[in-house]
Amino acid sequence: MICPQPGEVNIGNCTTQTCSACGYVMKGKEHLTLRDREWECPNCHTSHKRDQNAAQNILQRGLELAAML
Ligand SMILES: [Zn+2]
């Protein structure tokens, strides 16, 4: 799996695997599957709902992209 470069908005896996609170990316065995509806970040221990967390990341990427224009 290839994560998008900064500035690229990708609505694939990477938004799901990234903690919207601290930016930690789940890797290896930590990787979330479609069955993981809710999870806790191993780095900052924030509880996330999978889809809500992904939406936060997409919003954040969009805002970063807009800031560069
Ligand atoms: Zn976190």
Side-chain angles (χ1 to χ4, degrees):
M1 189 180 74
I2 298 163
C3 282
Q5 298 303 303
E8 273 182 50
V9 178
N10 185 307
I11 55 168
N13 282 327
C14 290
T15 51
T16 323
Q17 309 291 338
T18 305
C19 171
S20 61
C22 73
Y24 182 82
V25 180
M26 304 289 270
K27 45 190 173 291
K29 281 187 187 168
E30 298 164 348
H31 246 176
L32 303 168
T33 69
L34 286 175
R35 266 184 275 180
D36 294 315
R37 304 295 303 170
E38 298 183 17
W39 57 282
E40 186 184 298
C41 173
N43 187 49
C44 70
H45 302 288
T46 302
S47 295
H48 295 294
K49 287 187 168 58
R50 192 172 59 94
D51 294 339
Q52 207 172 63
N53 178 66
Q56 284 289 335
N57 286 327
I58 292 165
L59 175 65
Q60 189 57 41
R61 298 239 174 112
L63 291 174
E64 284 169 11
L65 193 63
M68 283 189 283
L69 297 176

